[in-house]
């Protein structure tokens, strides 16, 4: 089965018993949103869960200034978009349960309001109409910053997964929740998992050897912590092969963006700074979301 998970299965009608925890995808008719919807359908098929397509027309606040005829036309266009997208994805992924919903609220409110425990939100890297500036402005970044469930931002054309690992960005033992989440994604695809940690203390060139040498150094102790995290992941989910990579660099975002070139999926957590007020996205996550070469899954920050 390829990355799109298009192999049919299930009973005589092609349907399979659907597990809880749907995939919720925002669509708006743009190419990035269309690619994201295909990724979401493949993910739902892999997980054997339902796919829920959402189109937010954002007319709630503008109703007083818009004619009823205009709103009717906007709603009709949204319903056609959802219907065409649903039929196209259902044909490509036999047995996949696809539902649709047209909402009058804005895109951030629509998707956040639909997020329930165990579900995943999927969006494109940018869009137009109801999802304008998604992931490039306050709407998309706001969704990632305060979503109670994982958010996947689909960038570019997703790879087929052959030989490409799932990469999880980790710093210490506190990152175990999304390291395990990354292992689950690797197991679903039948690929390996790479735990990638960026060591930020870069010494002069003459000290590089001692930095990379194992025991007795701060870098060595850091690698030991990541190796310990890898062992915990292997114990919890023994399926995928888990490797550890510790990269010395002053730019964590740069290392992660480079790693995304060869990854089928990049998983990271939204580790907020304690100095910010309200929901926020860390600087590293912000940069990666704008420049990654593969889909990025952002796990919600701990409550």
């Amino acid at each position: 089965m390829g990355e799109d998970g298009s192999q049919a299965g299930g009973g005589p009608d092609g349907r399979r018993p659907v597990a809880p925890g749907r995939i919720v995808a925002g669509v708006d008719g743009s190419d990035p949103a269309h690619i994201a919807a295909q990724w979401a359908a493949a993910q739902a098929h892999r997980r054997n869960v339902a796919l829920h397509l959402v189109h937010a027309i954002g007319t709630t606040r503008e109703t007083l200034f818009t004619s009823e005829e205009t709103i009717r036309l906007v709603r009709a266009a949204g319903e056609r978009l959802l219907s065409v997208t649903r039929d196209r994805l259902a044909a490509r992924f036999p047995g996949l349960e696809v539902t649709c919903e047209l909402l009058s609220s804005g895109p951030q409110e629509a998707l956040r309001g639909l997020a329930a425990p165990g579900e995943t939100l999927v969006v494109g890297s940018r869009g137009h109409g109801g999802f304008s500036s998604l992931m490039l402005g306050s709407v998309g970044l706001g969704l990632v910053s305060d979503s109670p469930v994982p958010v996947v931002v689909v960038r570019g054309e997703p790879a087929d997964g052959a030989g490409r690992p799932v990469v999880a960005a980790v710093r210490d033992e506190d990152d175990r929740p999304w390291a395990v989440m990354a292992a689950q994604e690797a197991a679903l695809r039948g690929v390996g998992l790479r735990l990638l940690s960026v060591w930020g203390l870069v010494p002069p060139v003459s000290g590089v050897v001692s930095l990379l040498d194992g025991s007795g150094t701060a870098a060595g102790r850091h690698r030991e912590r990541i190796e310990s995290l890898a062992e915990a992941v292997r114990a919890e989910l023994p399926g995928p092969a888990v490797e550890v990579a510790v990269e010395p660099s002053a730019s964590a975002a740069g290392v992660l963006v480079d790693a995304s070139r060869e990854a089928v999926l990049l998983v990271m957590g939204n580790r907020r700074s304690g100095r910010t007020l309200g929901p926020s996205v860390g600087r590293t996550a912000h940069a990666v979301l704008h420049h990654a070469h593969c889909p990025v899954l952002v796990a919600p920050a701990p409550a």
Side-chain angles (χ1 to χ4, degrees):
M1 182 184 297
E3 168 66 10
D4 66 0
S6 56
Q7 179 177 318
D13 63 352
R15 297 277 175 188
R16 300 175 295 168
V18 177
R22 9 170 238 188
I23 306 294
V24 180
V27 297
D28 69 353
S30 67
D31 288 340
H34 175 64
I35 293 171
Q38 292 186 67
W39 189 95
Q43 182 75 346
H45 196 273
R46 273 190 295 268
R47 289 189 183 178
N48 192 26
V49 300
L51 171 66
H52 189 61
L53 302 175
V54 180
H55 180 63
I57 57 178
T59 58
T60 303
R61 297 176 181 176
E62 291 79 14
T63 301
L64 294 177
F65 310 97
T66 306
S67 69
E68 292 185 3
E69 176 63 14
T70 298
I71 293 177
R72 186 186 67 79
L73 292 175
V74 169
R75 292 187 63 86
E79 289 169 353
R80 283 196 301 273
L81 171 63
L82 287 170
S83 178
V84 168
T85 304
R86 178 194 61 211
D87 292 346
R88 183 180 300 152
L89 294 176
R92 183 171 181 179
F93 300 93
L96 176 66
E97 179 181 322
V98 185
T99 57
C100 302
E101 188 167 3
L102 181 73
L103 294 174
S104 299
S105 56
Q108 183 175 333
E109 296 86 351
L111 289 171
R112 192 198 304 114
L114 289 171
E119 298 184 343
T120 301
L121 304 180
V122 178
V123 294
S125 58
R126 61 189 184 277
H128 60 65
F131 286 86
S132 60
S133 74
L134 194 58
M135 293 320 308
L136 300 178
S138 59
V139 171
L141 291 175
L143 179 64
V144 171
S145 69
D146 65 1
S147 170
V149 301
V151 177
V152 178
V153 180
V154 180
R155 294 190 55 83
E157 291 283 353
D160 62 7
R164 296 173 180 259
V166 172
V167 174
V170 295
R171 292 198 308 194
D172 52 41
E173 295 83 352
D174 290 341
D175 296 343
R176 180 172 174 173
W178 58 80
V180 171
M181 186 182 300
Q184 293 169 340
E185 295 296 335
L188 278 173
R189 293 165 172 77
V191 301
L193 169 65
R194 178 179 303 156
L195 299 184
L196 176 57
S197 185
V198 181
W199 177 250
L201 297 178
V202 181
V205 174
S206 60
V208 170
V209 174
S210 63
L211 172 68
L212 299 180
D213 189 19
S215 61
T217 67
R221 290 191 295 272
H222 178 74
R223 185 179 185 89
E224 289 173 359
R225 288 194 293 270
I226 304 303
E227 292 282 5
S228 176
L229 174 61
E231 286 301 322
V233 172
R234 293 186 187 105
E236 187 161 343
L237 194 69
V242 182
E243 66 170 304
V244 169
V246 178
E247 299 285 345
S249 176
S251 172
V255 171
L256 294 175
V257 170
D258 285 344
S260 72
R261 296 179 185 275
E262 302 300 325
V264 68
L265 178 69
L266 176 62
V267 180
M268 61 192 311
N270 183 19
R271 298 186 66 152
R272 303 172 188 159
S273 168
R275 295 185 296 272
T276 60
L277 296 177
S280 64
V281 176
R283 287 180 297 177
T284 297
H286 189 282
V288 170
L289 287 169
H290 282 75
H291 301 291
H293 300 278
C294 71
V296 180
L297 187 158
V298 183

